[in-house]
Amino acid sequence: MNAFKKLSLSYQFTVLLLLLIAVASIAGYLIGSSVYVSEIRNQARTVADMVDNFGQWATRYRGVWVKDDPRDPKLQVGSFLEREASSSGAGGDSTMSNLAAFHRKNPALVQRELSDITMASPAKAKFRMTSDRFMNPNNAPSEFDKVAMDAIRESGASEYSEVRDGQLLYARRLVAEKGCLRCHGVPAEAPSAVSALYPGPQGYGYEEGKLAGVISVAIPLEFNLSTFIQRFDRQVWLALAAIAVGMAGLLVFIRQQVILPIRRVREFALAASNSDPGARIDKVEFVEGEHASANEIHELNTAVKAMHTSIDYLYRKMTKR
């Protein structure tokens, strides 16, 4: 520390300014990272809103009816709760082999299939519906989902999020409604298509108004120094340029108003100390009326000149004796 104090003021100011720039840059990066995570969290909320709204739409019609086509063997209806045969076949053919049928998928099935499509797509945001009382083993909760459900139950909050393994993990509360109890209430009262696949007890016992599970969203975090700089727009670069100009102006001010005046006072003091007693030395005068100035350098200069005048006066008085 003493070695640093012995350096020139110009060097000290430069080092401190560079440290300030480094600290400000790190702080800016951390703030940018926090803002980025907040943006991703809002994206996760939007995904959960979409899934929730889609489920509400499907609930309004007690599910979605899907029509198969016997002429298209690639068309897979998948899981369903009810099946009703059409009165007419595909293309007007009413033979039994060509009779189409309608299959009802409840809101949970519709949302799960939407989740399967999303998980298989190249989209960055992925979501799934899960519960700690799941029916389908494919819907078993992850470690994060378990933590999220415990936290939501304990706090009563509607959401929970974490940054884990380079991802923003988000969970939105799902509350069991009356329509959910038809399949997830008591096994004996569940539709035959459900009880046949999932005889229980896992997946049942939901209570109306209580936490049933969560919409779990995962979005990768891709924030680094390169992407941070790429997010700078024209206004940010103009602001950074203004800051750079301001710092350069500060350095010029310090040099002109602090360092150079101190050097002139130092030169005067050295000249006075090395001169013969009584010799005339040009004094430094920064401003008119310097003795009344509140500027510390002016006060220092006034004190040095007063000391030189006092010494010169004492010398003259002593030589007259």
Side-chain angles (χ1 to χ4, degrees):
M1 190 63 182
N2 288 332
F4 179 77
K5 291 180 179 179
K6 292 179 181 179
L7 298 173
S8 68
L9 287 178
S10 297
Y11 188 83
Q12 291 186 38
F13 277 123
T14 301
V15 171
L16 291 176
L17 187 59
L18 291 176
L19 287 175
L20 177 62
I21 293 173
V23 171
S25 299
I26 294 173
Y29 180 82
L30 293 176
I31 292 172
S33 176
S34 178
V35 170
Y36 174 77
V37 171
S38 296
E39 291 179 355
I40 297 299
R41 186 178 292 109
N42 287 332
Q43 291 182 25
R45 290 189 178 109
T46 301
V47 172
D49 287 339
M50 180 271 295
V51 176
D52 204 11
N53 292 336
F54 185 68
Q56 293 295 329
W57 172 81
T59 301
R60 178 182 299 177
Y61 305 105
R62 296 184 62 240
V64 175
W65 288 90
V66 179
K67 183 180 180 181
D68 63 9
D69 187 350
R71 298 173 304 175
D72 185 0
K74 295 183 179 180
L75 178 61
Q76 300 294 325
V77 174
S79 301
F80 58 90
L81 295 184
E82 299 177 25
R83 181 181 185 278
E84 290 187 6
S86 173
S87 59
S88 62
D93 188 350
S94 59
T95 60
M96 290 300 295
S97 60
N98 287 323
L99 282 178
F102 289 91
H103 304 78
R104 188 174 74 84
K105 298 176 180 287
N106 67 346
L109 276 176
V110 173
Q111 289 174 306
R112 193 197 73 192
E113 291 187 4
L114 178 62
S115 170
D116 293 341
I117 292 173
T118 304
M119 296 295 286
S121 75
K124 293 182 179 179
K126 309 291 186 182
F127 83 90
R128 57 197 297 268
M129 314 282 286
T130 185
S131 171
D132 47 8
R133 286 176 290 183
F134 58 91
M135 282 185 171
N136 190 332
N138 294 331
N139 298 332
S142 65
E143 186 63 32
F144 164 76
D145 297 329
K146 295 176 183 178
V147 171
M149 284 185 280
D150 289 341
I152 290 173
R153 282 196 181 95
E154 183 177 347
S155 66
S158 61
E159 61 181 12
Y160 178 84
S161 65
E162 278 186 16
V163 173
R164 182 186 294 192
D165 300 329
Q167 291 182 308
L168 186 283
L169 303 179
Y170 174 87
R172 167 77 60 81
R173 177 180 61 187
L174 285 174
V175 176
E177 298 180 356
K178 188 175 181 178
C180 303
L181 304 184
R182 183 168 180 264
C183 295
H184 295 278
V186 180
E189 299 177 0
S192 57
V194 174
S195 58
L197 287 174
Y198 310 109
Q202 181 68 27
Y204 298 95
Y206 285 26
E207 298 180 53
E208 185 177 357
K210 298 293 184 65
L211 181 71
V214 292
I215 301 172
S216 185
V217 183
I219 303 179
L221 297 176
E222 300 174 344
F223 187 83
N224 51 47
L225 183 59
S226 177
T227 57
F228 177 61
I229 296 175
Q230 289 175 4
R231 293 165 69 89
F232 288 2
D233 56 16
R234 183 170 177 271
Q235 290 182 333
V236 173
W237 286 115
L238 288 175
L240 291 176
I243 293 173
V245 171
M247 289 184 173
L250 178 62
L251 284 176
V252 172
F253 174 82
I254 291 172
R255 176 176 174 79
Q256 296 297 324
Q257 300 298 322
V258 178
I259 297 173
L260 292 182
I262 289 177
R263 286 179 179 175
R264 291 182 63 189
V265 174
R266 172 178 172 274
E267 290 170 359
F268 170 78
L270 288 175
S273 64
N274 294 327
S275 64
D276 294 330
R280 183 176 179 81
I281 303 175
D282 293 332
K283 296 182 178 180
V284 178
E285 189 77 21
F286 293 114
V287 294
E288 186 177 352
E290 187 177 70
H291 63 281
S293 173
N295 187 308
E296 287 80 359
I297 296 178
H298 297 170
E299 292 176 344
L300 174 63
N301 186 47
T302 300
V304 171
K305 290 189 292 184
M307 182 176 63
H308 175 261
T309 300
S310 298
I311 294 174
D312 186 61
Y313 172 76
L314 289 173
Y315 173 78
R316 293 177 183 276
K317 190 173 182 179
M318 291 178 63
T319 54
K320 288 181 180 180
R321 293 180 179 181

